[in-house]
């Protein structure tokens, strides 16, 4: 083998150079995003049916659509929210479903039911994935231009410029209103002429015509015949004729004779501001496979080159690339810092600059090769792939160190002094090296069988680490021996001897400890087994638990709900008080506000919306403290406003998987009154649980309504019916779109409606004139009863069953302990038997993830046991090894409890990785034992003595490379902190366990009974 290695040295070096160069090119071309690309199994259907009562909307539209959509293949759950004239249906599919096909199937099901829906019902279906949230948000403000002018600027200049940028999926404009031509009819003039608003709208629609009548070929020319009367401006609209009267007395009047025509804006019940000033927001959404950093960079450059008016101020209010680059920089710094610390460990133990140089060259080459594999697989640089690289650094260096240390030891022993001898020494480490790397790789194999957010996130990490470890194994087995064999000198061995003082001291300490503890191996095994198992169990019962790791994103969402049905101006006054609190917070650098809309879209009433609050960089208080302070001040100073706070990515993942709140209590029942009462009870009860904040009892009220109940008999006496009355009222109050006028690139609506004086007060509705078919006029009060209906509630259903969800968030408390107390509190309420209780939210996702990761942990143990059995064919050794691994895992739980770090999906992944890393140390220990001979305590202690230096170096290097992530020096390292902490505690415990407990247990399990007499 060593001869063949030397014979192919040039080919191996060329392959390494090509791999490194290809990796460098791949790294430069890898897209950068925040999270891995995951097909979230959710489709959302948004429905708009004009102005309708919520109960009628549910019966006529929402429920039939739910029934049709429930039959879409792969649907696991259907959930709907119905409000006044609008609804949203969420379809959940199984993880792994082809979502492009699922979306097409959803659209097909909707098209089949469309003929049965009321006229005017519009809907759109879209996949719920991270692209629904913007990666970059721009606020346009001006002291000289109004919102409508800013919107025109955004629509006609900014949107076309940004849409063409590579990686941009869509550009959304919020704020202001689209242009329109308002035709405000005069009811008295219409009455005098026997006309109705519908007549005006019909005349305008028929007058504005551009229609092809066919083609004529004449004298070698082909002509298109166009019949046209194109309305171009307000004057054209006013000059449009209307036929008044009937028969011989009919005459002509113009629209201008019976109405006032003016350029205006579409009625809008939303409000958008930035830093307290009316604004237009431009949200840039990227494609699913886009490069976040490059998209933001290109958008910023394009905005600077657009040449906007000097009076327009452009302010970014959200920039996801800051979070992405911050996280990437945190991992980069951790890799560099960890590599330096690992180099110091190498120097302390071996004192060889050449060995340090070889290791320093291997690390970037392996990482470059890893980037090439990621590029070939179409993956991104994201939080998980970069985290995988950071976690792999210690293992990459460890492979190099184990090989170099063994070759150096053979040089010190005089067994190898020339290249052939050193290559032969390297060949001795082939089996242990393949075994140790295999022990780390096999723990990632079960991840292929889990789904959900956990599977999507950690598969990216697993692929990265497996790629890095595979390439590292090739380097350590083939290229490092070649470099060391021809470059190491006798003085390197002498330098290693000079470090023998430290090693000798450690061996002395180890011999003393082993002599005392291994004298009675059974007692040592029982003491450690009982002690660490008890400590691990106690820690497991008391360690805080969560779902996703906490991370400081540099900004947060503040959702609010004002008084139901409040006028937009009243809501705005309340929100001004909230803005004063936000502005007075020293950590806040800017904020934007949407009223009647949300940053990520969705069903929103005009009395609710959200803020995005952007915090300063650099040194400041943690984001959780800032959010808690703002929440307390709002609850104290602005009563009557419900608020919820969450970081954007945390909110996004919640929205894409379930609901964004960690706590969701779903109450099912057929009696609306009993459901509402139970929801209030539950909301009040859980609000008293320590750490539970922002409780929402689910009784969302869309607002009040004015009921116009037509008396069919009275209407019939006037030759009218309820439908005719509804159409004329709709035209007078809401207005009817009569036609569209092309102005430049835009189509501008022409809206016919009653004068503003008729719409200023609710009691004016009763006085509105209704024109009968024969031209006479009646007042609404003559044929209908007008009244106020208070509290039009939103209606929610899940799988066709009515339900109310009570939600809450947490402050200063972990999810696991809070949910335990909440479940106990809800059970103590003794709700009616007709009310069924279910728990959802991020808690449900946490429980699923924990079950999946428990399966992964168990499978990793079994695969590691199989690998060790294949390598050494000793069941007793395998049993001893797995017991050692489990005790190391118990120490991980103790470490998490001591540090107060939550047991979440990141920590559980770290716990699983500990299985592989400890198994790697065990492989190196067993490599010193002769499998063909009986093993006694002396042989085990000698193996520990020989493996003391490589085991200590391996553990120290892995611990030090992960310490920057565990200590969280950079806010972007939050996602990897629990993982790094778990590995550090596991390896710290593994060193004494492998060197002392493992030999003792092997001795106990392999001890042969002495023969009598």
């Amino acid at each position: 083998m060593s001869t063949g290695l030397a014979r192919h040295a040039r080919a191996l070096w060329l392959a390494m150079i090509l791999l490194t160069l290809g990796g460098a090119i791949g790294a430069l071309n890898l897209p950068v995003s925040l999270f891995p690309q995951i097909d979230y199994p959710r489709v959302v259907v948004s429905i708009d049916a004009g102005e309708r009562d919520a109960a009628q909307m549910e019966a006529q539209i929402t429920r039939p659509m739910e029934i049709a959509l429930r039959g879409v293949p792969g649907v696991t759950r259907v959930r709907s929210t119905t409000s006044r004239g609008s609804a949203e249906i969420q379809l959940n599919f199984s993880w792994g479903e082809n979502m492009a096909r699922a979306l097409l199937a959803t659209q097909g099901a909707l098209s089949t039911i469309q003929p049965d829906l009321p006229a005017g019902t519009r809907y759109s279906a879209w996949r719920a994935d991270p692209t629904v949230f913007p990666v970059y948000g721009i606020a346009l403000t001006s002291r000289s231009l109004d919102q409508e002018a800013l919107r025109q600027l955004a629509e006609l200049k900014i949107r076309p410029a940004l849409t063409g940028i590579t990686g941009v999926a869509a550009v959304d404009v919020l704020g202001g209103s689209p242009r329109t031509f308002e035709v405000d009819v005069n009811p008295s003039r219409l009455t005098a002429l026997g006309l109705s608003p519908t007549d005006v709208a019909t005349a305008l629609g028929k007058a504005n015509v551009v229609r092809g009548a066919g083609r004529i070929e004449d004298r070698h020319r082909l002509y298109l015949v166009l019949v046209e009367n194109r309305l171009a401006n307000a004057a054209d609209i006013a000059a449009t004729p209307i036929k008044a009267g009937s028969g011989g007395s009919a005459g002509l009047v113009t629209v201008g004779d019976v109405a006032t025509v003016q350029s205006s804006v579409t009625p809008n019940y939303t409000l958008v501001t930035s830093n307290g000033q009316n604004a237009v927001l431009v949200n840039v959404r990227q494609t699913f496979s886009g490069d976040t950093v490059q998209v933001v960079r290109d958008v910023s450059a394009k905005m600077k080159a657009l040449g906007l008016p000097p009076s327009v101020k452009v302010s970014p209010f959200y920039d996801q690339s800051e979070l992405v680059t911050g996280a990437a920089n945190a991992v980069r710094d951790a890799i560099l810092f960890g590599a330096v610390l690992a180099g110091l460990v190498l120097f302390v133990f071996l004192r060889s600059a050449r060995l340090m140089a070889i290791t320093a060259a291997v690390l970037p080459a392996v990482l470059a090769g890893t980037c090439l594999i990621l590029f070939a697989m179409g993956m991104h640089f994201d939080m998980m792939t970069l985290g995988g690289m950071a976690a792999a650094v210690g293992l990459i260096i460890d492979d190099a160190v184990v090989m170099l240390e063994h070759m150096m030891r053979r040089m010190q022993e005089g067994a190898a002094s020339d290249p052939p001898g050193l290559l032969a020494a390297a060949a001795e480490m082939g089996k242990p090296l393949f075994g140790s790397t295999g022990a780390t790789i096999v723990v990632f194999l079960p991840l292929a069988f889990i789904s959900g957010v956990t599977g999507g996130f950690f598969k990216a990490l697993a692929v990265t680490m497996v790629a890095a470890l595979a390439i590292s194994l090739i380097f350590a087995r083939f290229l490092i021996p070649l470099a060391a064999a021809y470059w190491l000198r006798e003085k390197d061995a002498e330098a290693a001897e000079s470090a023998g003082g430290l090693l000798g001291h450690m061996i002395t300490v180890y011999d003393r400890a082993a002599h005392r503890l291994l004298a009675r191996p059974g007692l040592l095994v029982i003491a450690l087994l009982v002690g660490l198992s008890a400590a691990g169990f106690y820690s497991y019962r008391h360690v805080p638990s969560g779902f996703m790791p906490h991370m400081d994103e540099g900004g947060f969402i503040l959702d609010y709900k004002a008084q139901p049905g409040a006028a937009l101006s009243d809501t705005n006054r309340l929100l001004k008080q909230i803005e004063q609190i936000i502005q007075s917070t020293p950590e806040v650098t800017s904020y934007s506000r949407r009223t009647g809309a949300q940053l990520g879209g969705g069903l929103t009433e005009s009395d609710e919306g959200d803020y995005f609050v952007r915090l300063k960089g650099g040194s400041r208080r943690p984001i959780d403290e800032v959010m808690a302070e703002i929440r307390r001040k709002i609850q104290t100073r602005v009563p009557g406003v419900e608020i919820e706070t969450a970081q954007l990515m945390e909110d996004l993942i919640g929205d894409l998987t379930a609901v964004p709140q960690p706590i969701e209590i779903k109450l099912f029942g057929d009696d609306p009154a009993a459901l509402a009462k139970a929801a209030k009870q539950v909301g009040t009860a859980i609000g008293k649980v320590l750490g539970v904040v922002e409780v929402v009892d689910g009784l969302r009220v869309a607002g009040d309504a004015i009921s116009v109940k037509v008396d069919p008999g009275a209407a019939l006496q006037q030759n009218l019916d309820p439908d005719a009355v509804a159409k004329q009222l709709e035209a007078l109050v809401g207005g009817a779109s009569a036609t569209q006028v092309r102005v430049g690139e835009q189509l501008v609506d022409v809206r016919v409606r009653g004068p503003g004086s008729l719409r200023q007060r609710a009691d004016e509705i009763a006085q509105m004139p209704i024109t009968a078919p024969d031209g006479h006029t009646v007042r609404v009060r003559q044929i209908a009863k007008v009244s106020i209906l208070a509290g039009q509630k939103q209606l929610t259903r899940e799988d066709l069953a009515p339900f109310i969800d009570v939600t809450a968030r947490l402050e200063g408390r972990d999810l696991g302990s809070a949910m335990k107390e909440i479940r106990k509190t809800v059970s103590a309420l003794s709700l009616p038997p007709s009310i069924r209780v279910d728990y959802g939210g991020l808690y449900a996702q946490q429980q699923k993830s924990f079950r999946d990761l428990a399966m992964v942990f168990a499978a990793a143990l079994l695969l590691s046991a199989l690998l060790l059995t294949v390598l050494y064919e000793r069941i007793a050794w395998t049993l001893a090894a797995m017991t050692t691994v489990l005790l190391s895992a118990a120490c991980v739980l103790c470490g998490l409890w001591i540090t107060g770090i939550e047991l979440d999906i990141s920590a559980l992944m770290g716990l699983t990785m500990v299985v592989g890393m400890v198994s790697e140390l065990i492989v190196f220990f067993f490599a010193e034992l002769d499998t063909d001979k009986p093993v006694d305590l002396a042989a085990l202690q000698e193996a520990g003595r020989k493996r003391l230096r490589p085991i200590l170096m391996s553990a120290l290097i892995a611990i030090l490379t992960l310490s920057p992530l565990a200590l969280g020096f950079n806010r972007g390292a939050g996602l990897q902190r629990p993982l790094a902490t778990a590995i550090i505690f596991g390896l710290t415990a593994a060193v004494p366990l492998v060197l002392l407990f493992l030999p003792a247990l092997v001795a106990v399990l392999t001890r042969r009974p002495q023969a009598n007499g």
Side-chain angles (χ1 to χ4, degrees), residues 198-276:
T198 306
D199 296 326
V200 178
T202 302
L204 286 171
K206 291 181 177 180
N208 188 34
V209 173
V210 179
R211 185 177 302 165
R215 297 173 186 267
I216 291 178
E217 188 173 350
D218 180 34
R219 300 178 187 180
H220 310 292
R221 303 290 293 177
L222 180 64
Y223 296 97
L224 171 65
V225 179
L226 284 178
V227 179
E228 63 176 319
N229 179 54
R230 198 191 307 264
L231 302 179
N233 49 45
D236 291 347
I237 296 171
T240 302
I242 308 173
K243 185 178 180 181
S246 59
S249 61
L252 291 179
V253 294
T254 64
V255 170
D257 293 330
V258 296
T260 302
V261 182
Q262 60 184 347
S263 180
S264 183
V265 294
T266 303
N268 188 16
Y269 301 101
T270 64
L271 187 60
V272 174
T273 68
S274 174
N275 297 324

Side-chain angles (χ1 to χ4, degrees), residues 788-852:
I788 303 293
L789 297 180
Q792 296 282 296
K793 291 186 177 65
Q794 288 186 354
L795 305 174
T796 50
R797 300 156 61 88
E798 185 170 291
D799 289 332
L800 302 178
F803 86 106
I804 294 177
D805 60 331
V806 181
T807 61
R809 295 186 184 272
L810 296 169
E811 179 182 305
R813 187 166 185 183
D814 70 287
L815 180 58
S817 66
M819 282 303 303
K820 186 182 296 184
E821 187 171 347
I822 285 170
R823 293 178 76 108
K824 188 184 299 182
T825 301
V826 174
S827 298
L829 291 176
S830 300
L831 297 174
S834 60
I835 304 295
R836 177 168 62 88
V837 181
D838 195 8
Y839 294 89
L842 296 183
Y843 172 71
Q845 291 295 312
Q846 181 215 42
Q847 295 301 297
K848 178 185 183 304
S849 297
F850 277 24
R851 288 192 297 270
D852 287 343

